[in-house]
Amino acid sequence: MTRIPMTAARSVRLLALGAALAGAALTAQAQAVLRVTAIPDESPTELARKFEPLGKYLEAKLGMKVEWTPVTDYAAAVETLVNKKVDLAWFGGFTFVQANVRSGGKVIPLVQRAEDEKFRSVFITDAASGITKLEDLKGKTLSFGSASSTSGHLMPRSYLLAAKINPDADLKRVSFSGAHDATIAAVASGKVDAGALNISVWEKFVADKKVDPAVVKVFYTTPGYYDYNWSVHADMPAALREKIAAAFLALESAPGGKEILALQRASRFIPTKADNYNGIKGAAEQAGLLK
């Protein structure tokens, strides 16, 4: 049998075909697992506890394995989605804006809780502190949550500035606890005179009797603003994005959905879009916090 020599062009075509097939196999393999993370605005054990039933629900709805990927801080949550090391991330409004900017608009929000259309922050203090309004914070110590937190830093800071209070100049000391529950602990233990945090976490602590509102009280509640959402990278296949969004939107009527929503402190999930967070972006730029 006479062997036909392989031409250079044919060789290149075969190599290209092999690379394409290998790439397709890697893509299929990568899509077999949905990697999920969240900003660590609460303790790691609490975040994992809240996500477990949601993860199982998503596995059933999407027909693929769902893998929880914890991160150490807010910046890490941003970077993991921007660099596509995870596929789905739970962001606060500010971390979404950071991820959207860092990715050149490639990080997009899918859904948010109905409560996130008009989210709020609370300022808390010891009931015996004598602090009754924002102006009383002058000369006092205050704890925010994470520096990258929307409800635990950015928006509380913006409302302080609107009240003509510069936290860095007018307060005795500003600190960052790293998480909303840690802010409550800092105020309750007397480490700081006051703290600013997510209203949802505060209400959960009161409901669970982990804090006595007669001892640690809310003295200011902010106006509403857009906050948390579930975001993905725009490079995710559109069909998968749509399936994920549909799964969240169906939770309200799904078997066991009410229990999952309760863990997420949500009545239901609704669609959202990047433009909803323009106000957060503006506040971050005005405060010099968006780089």
Side-chain angles (χ1 to χ4, degrees):
M1 182 182 291
T2 304
R3 297 185 65 180
I4 301 173
M6 183 179 290
T7 65
R10 185 181 175 206
S11 177
V12 169
R13 284 197 300 272
L14 287 173
L15 286 170
L17 177 60
L21 289 172
L26 284 172
T27 300
Q29 184 179 18
Q31 291 178 5
V33 177
L34 185 77
R35 301 159 300 174
V36 185
T37 196
I39 54 171
D41 59 350
E42 295 181 82
S43 70
T45 53
E46 177 66 4
L47 288 175
R49 183 186 74 86
K50 286 167 53 179
F51 180 74
E52 184 178 4
L54 176 60
K56 290 179 180 177
Y57 168 80
L58 290 175
E59 283 187 343
K61 279 288 191 179
L62 303 176
M64 62 195 301
K65 181 176 173 59
V66 173
E67 183 178 280
W68 174 246
T69 306
V71 291
T72 54
D73 55 33
Y74 282 51
V78 169
E79 292 303 316
T80 53
L81 187 58
V82 169
N83 295 315
K84 295 188 282 188
K85 293 180 179 177
V86 296
D87 308 295
L88 177 67
W90 175 246
F91 284 143
F94 184 31
T95 36
F96 162 72
V97 167
Q98 289 176 312
N100 183 265
V101 170
R102 282 274 293 108
S103 66
K106 296 279 271 181
V107 166
I108 54 177
L110 290 185
V111 295
Q112 63 181 174
R113 300 171 302 188
E115 289 76 5
D116 292 313
E117 286 188 299
K118 293 183 179 179
F119 205 78
R120 292 171 294 162
S121 297
V122 292
F123 284 79
I124 61 172
T125 187
D126 187 293
S129 69
I131 297 172
T132 61
K133 56 187 183 297
L134 292 180
E135 289 76 10
D136 293 336
L137 289 173
K138 291 184 177 181
K140 305 292 186 179
T141 57
L142 173 73
S143 177
F144 291 118
S146 165
S148 294
S149 172
T150 309
S151 53
H153 179 219
L154 174 62
M155 297 313 288
R157 177 180 283 270
S158 72
Y159 288 114
L160 283 169
L161 293 172
K164 309 298 183 187
I165 301 166
N166 182 338
D168 302 315
D170 297 331
L171 274 61
K172 181 179 179 180
R173 186 181 77 252
V174 168
S175 57
F176 293 89
S177 70
H180 302 297
D181 47 6
T183 298
I184 295 174
V187 175
S189 66
K191 289 183 179 178
V192 291
D193 298 313
L197 70 145
N198 169 330
I199 192 171
S200 178
V201 173
W202 169 256
E203 289 176 343
K204 182 70 166 56
F205 264 61
V206 172
D208 291 347
K209 301 189 184 307
K210 292 181 178 179
V211 63
D212 184 350
V215 177
V216 177
K217 68 172 187 177
V218 171
F219 68 92
Y220 180 77
T221 301
T222 71
Y225 52 86
Y226 278 97
D227 202 356
Y228 294 86
N229 67 58
W230 283 103
S231 288
V232 299
H233 198 284
D235 289 348
M236 175 183 282
L240 180 55
R241 290 205 309 263
E242 290 167 7
K243 285 181 73 174
I244 292 170
F248 276 101
L249 298 179
L251 262 171
E252 189 179 6
S253 57
K258 296 291 186 184
E259 291 76 11
I260 294 172
L261 286 168
L263 281 173
Q264 301 299 312
R265 303 184 193 118
S267 57
R268 61 192 174 98
F269 279 92
I270 59 175
T272 190
K273 57 185 179 179
D275 287 351
N276 286 342
Y277 300 90
N278 288 341
I280 296 286
K281 185 177 181 181
E285 289 171 339
Q286 186 176 24
L289 297 176
L290 191 60
K291 299 177 182 179

